[in-house]
Amino acid sequence: MNRNKSILITILFALSSSFFYAGEELPPSSLSGNSEAIDDSELGFQYGAYHEVTFSVSREHMCMISETSIVYCHGSNLYGQLGPLFAPWNGKLDLTDFGNPSKLSTGLKHSCALTDRSLVVCWGTMSGSSSELPLDEHQISRIPVIVEIDGPVKTISSGNEFACAITYSGKVECWNSLNSNHSPIPTFSVTPPHDDFFVSDITSGGGKVCIISNSGNISCSFEDLGNSSFQEITTKPLEISNVSSAIANEMSLCILSDDGVVNCKQWGILEQL
């Protein structure tokens, strides 16, 4: 996969996503992390202190990994999605007890990180619905907790009210529960359309998830996985080949092909293919 192309599609899709807090749209500088530099002892984004691809944008918050492996988050913290150490609209997390964070993925009311020890930690809540009603405090984990996944994890992806991880064996484990009572455990798995489909990457948006094979094929589930009570989710292969990478949000899926062409379609159109 061409890394520059992957960076490009990630940035373009993030910038095109709606990102709001306190009823106001964030300025472009908040999406890129290029806000005014402040003293390192304060919470907030530092100018020039972030790698291109180590950020994740959700509807009401975003998170970035700094060059010193500190995770900074910005936006709403109503559900603990900025972490335990925060000032208004800003959060700061040191996850080095779990390893250095290498990837972030944010959902509607939660944040997850993958570390270089192949561990996944999450904070915030997955309430199982898109309701904005206040939750009881026991339904929220304001500190990062390890997700109990069987096997080392290769990558992660969050939808609105769930998250998934791909293990190095190619298994896709997902969970739609996150609270202060216990560490999250996978509640369902996503299965490929056939045995020859070895899962190498994943993308989630809204309640949907798509998996990509090492041979460049893509297969998606169109159920609302945030409310799923099934233990196994089947996927439908799309008639699209030579997929290099893909990225999803609530409304649509964008696919980058090996020849550098980006093709975006709404979920409703894809479901009819």
Side-chain angles (χ1 to χ4, degrees):
M1 176 170 56
N2 187 309
R3 182 172 179 271
N4 290 331
K5 291 177 183 176
S6 180
I7 292 170
L8 177 62
I9 189 173
T10 303
I11 293 174
L12 288 176
F13 204 78
L15 292 177
S16 67
S17 300
S18 297
F19 183 57
F20 296 86
Y21 75 100
E24 298 179 2
E25 188 171 0
L26 288 171
S29 62
S30 297
L31 288 173
S32 63
N34 292 334
S35 56
E36 183 178 355
I38 58 177
D39 186 83
D40 283 341
S41 63
E42 299 180 45
L43 296 176
F45 291 131
Q46 315 295 308
Y47 180 84
Y50 302 91
H51 303 291
E52 302 99 340
V53 296
T54 51
F55 68 91
S56 181
V57 181
S58 188
R59 184 188 296 176
E60 294 185 349
H61 76 290
M62 68 179 297
C63 294
M64 288 182 171
I65 302 174
S66 73
E67 291 179 339
T68 57
S69 296
I70 297 297
V71 175
Y72 290 92
C73 297
H74 183 70
S76 169
N77 197 41
L78 182 61
Y79 302 102
Q81 60 264 53
L82 301 190
L85 181 62
F86 69 95
W89 306 113
N90 295 289
K92 179 180 179 181
L93 297 95
D94 183 350
L95 301 176
T96 52
D97 284 347
F98 309 103
N100 290 324
S102 58
K103 183 172 183 178
L104 297 168
S105 191
T106 53
L108 193 62
K109 301 188 281 282
H110 71 270
S111 305
C112 293
L114 173 66
T115 75
D116 59 3
R117 290 168 53 191
S118 294
L119 298 176
V120 178
V121 293
C122 297
W123 56 98
T125 187
M126 298 174 185
S127 62
S129 73
S130 58
S131 172
E132 297 300 323
L133 295 175
L135 300 175
D136 293 333
E137 194 62 26
H138 75 272
Q139 296 177 275
I140 298 171
S141 178
R142 296 190 181 274
I143 61 172
V145 290
I146 293 181
V147 184
E148 297 180 1
I149 300 170
D150 186 16
V153 173
K154 177 181 179 182
T155 190
I156 56 174
S157 181
S158 287
N160 275 0
E161 298 287 351
F162 71 96
C164 295
I166 301 177
T167 66
Y168 277 94
S169 64
K171 193 173 182 180
V172 182
E173 299 279 11
C174 306
W175 56 100
N176 54 11
S177 177
L178 175 62
N179 54 57
S180 62
N181 292 334
H182 55 78
S183 296
I185 59 173
T187 50
F188 60 93
S189 60
V190 176
T191 59
H194 50 77
D195 292 340
D196 295 333
F197 192 109
F198 185 85
V199 181
S200 62
D201 204 358
I202 187 170
T203 183
S204 309
K208 315 290 194 300
V209 64
C210 295
I211 51 178
I212 302 169
S213 73
N214 56 358
S215 57
N217 297 310
I218 186 167
S219 187
C220 301
S221 168
F222 297 96
E223 300 181 39
D224 183 359
L225 300 186
N227 291 309
S228 176
S229 58
F230 297 101
Q231 292 184 333
E232 190 171 290
I233 303 298
T234 57
T235 57
K236 172 186 174 182
L238 304 182
E239 296 299 323
I240 302 172
S241 58
N242 301 318
V243 176
S244 175
S245 63
I247 190 164
N249 69 6
E250 293 183 68
M251 301 299 297
S252 56
L253 173 72
C254 286
I255 296 173
L256 175 68
S257 66
D258 288 336
D259 57 6
V261 176
V262 177
N263 187 11
C264 298
K265 284 186 171 62
Q266 293 182 341
W267 287 114
I269 296 175
L270 287 168
E271 193 170 3
Q272 297 173 12
L273 294 179

